[in-house]
Amino acid sequence: NAGVTQTPKFQVLKTGQSMTLQCAQDMNHNSMYWYRQDPGMGLRLIYYSASEGTTDKGEVPNGYNVSRLNKREFSLRLESAAPSQTSVYFCASSDPGLQGGYGYTFGSGTRLTVV
Amino acid sequence: KNQVEQSPQSLIILEGKNCTLQCNYTVSPFSNLRWYKQDTGRGPVSLTIMTFSENTKSNGRYTATLDADTKQSSLHITASQLSDSASYICVALKTSYDKVIFGPGTSLSVIP
């Protein structure tokens, strides 16, 4: 049982480049999330998907887009990367309830550097 | 403002010793509080969850306490092991389910 799988684990981008972070979960969870983690700060919600077919903005959505491809997969896209997007990105899933009321399962993270 | 504060920011203890990490939250209305353990290079993993009506919860050598009146929680680690070296994150959930607030974490290093 893999849980939540994120790819890639590491990525270096040049300013202005685009990329998509992939996330898949095999726990049949309805809700999925994308967070970013920066030094000295708590995890901040970028976007979430309460269920297949729906997505909503979180606390820091600017510069990102998401796609809930199906119940298993939730991708995060950076259209034009900026140095301020240098961070560690975590995908998470949960069920039941929204916003992790019953606990998140996190992926292992993607460390992104924008130069 | 909804926020979660944790102290200390970092802590170094000798293997076998006990330690206590603190969490203060100003989330309202409050639903539940979780403690997560995050190993270096990994995602957070849930240790405990407590609702506002619970005041203690244990998970092996980890014991969390909650005082909903003072809005404080603590995580006590007994007989620390080298594998306890990690960041410990306190997370508060609002009753309305529309907000989960993560604390910045306490970095714990257990040394031989």
Side-chain angles (χ1 to χ4, degrees):
Chain A
N1 193 341
V4 177
T5 302
Q6 288 183 236
T7 57
K9 291 189 181 302
F10 301 94
Q11 184 71 49
V12 178
L13 290 178
K14 294 182 179 180
T15 298
Q17 287 186 318
S18 62
M19 77 162 296
T20 299
L21 282 65
Q22 306 287 351
C23 175
Q25 52 96 3
D26 61 4
M27 296 169 289
N28 202 37
H29 285 169
N30 283 315
S31 303
M32 298 186 73
Y33 317 84
W34 277 104
Y35 280 88
R36 60 179 289 173
Q37 186 175 39
D38 300 296
M41 301 181 70
L43 283 120
R44 293 182 292 168
L45 183 63
I46 305 171
Y47 271 93
Y48 64 97
S49 171
S51 61
E52 183 179 357
T54 69
T55 61
D56 286 286
K57 296 178 179 179
E59 183 183 357
V60 287
N62 292 343
Y64 306 95
N65 285 301
V66 291
S67 296
R68 184 74 183 265
L69 304 172
N70 47 56
K71 190 171 186 178
R72 292 185 63 251
E73 298 173 289
F74 188 38
S75 63
L76 178 71
R77 183 162 179 82
L78 287 70
E79 291 290 353
S80 179
S84 61
Q85 294 178 305
T86 294
S87 187
V88 181
Y89 292 85
F90 288 98
C91 178
S93 69
S94 75
D95 204 37
L98 181 66
Q99 293 265 2
Y102 293 89
Y104 290 127
T105 300
F106 283 92
S108 57
T110 296
R111 185 174 295 275
L112 175 66
T113 302
V114 183
V115 298
Chain B
K1 180 180 179 181
N2 292 302
Q3 64 181 27
V4 174
E5 297 176 336
Q6 293 187 243
S7 63
Q9 183 176 359
S10 61
L11 182 63
I12 302 174
I13 62 172
L14 291 174
E15 184 179 11
K17 298 296 186 181
N18 303 336
C19 68
T20 300
L21 314 180
Q22 301 291 343
C23 172
N24 296 329
Y25 63 93
T26 56
V27 172
S28 181
F30 171 74
S31 174
N32 63 55
L33 186 137
R34 288 180 176 273
W35 283 92
Y36 283 85
K37 179 186 180 188
Q38 184 176 20
D39 293 316
T40 301
R42 308 291 296 176
V45 175
S46 181
L47 288 175
T48 64
I49 175 172
M50 290 178 292
T51 65
F52 65 90
S53 60
E54 297 177 293
N55 55 28
T56 188
K57 185 71 67 75
S58 293
N59 179 359
R61 295 180 295 101
Y62 301 100
T63 299
T65 63
L66 175 65
D67 185 334
D69 292 330
T70 61
K71 299 186 177 183
Q72 295 179 327
S73 177
S74 65
L75 181 69
H76 185 75
I77 304 174
T78 304
S80 61
Q81 300 176 358
L82 298 178
S83 59
D84 293 331
S85 295
S87 179
Y88 291 84
I89 302 172
C90 176
V91 183
L93 176 68
K94 285 184 65 173
T95 303
S96 60
Y97 258 23
D98 65 354
K99 192 79 173 177
V100 174
I101 297 98
F102 286 79
T106 291
S107 177
L108 174 66
S109 297
V110 180
I111 60 176

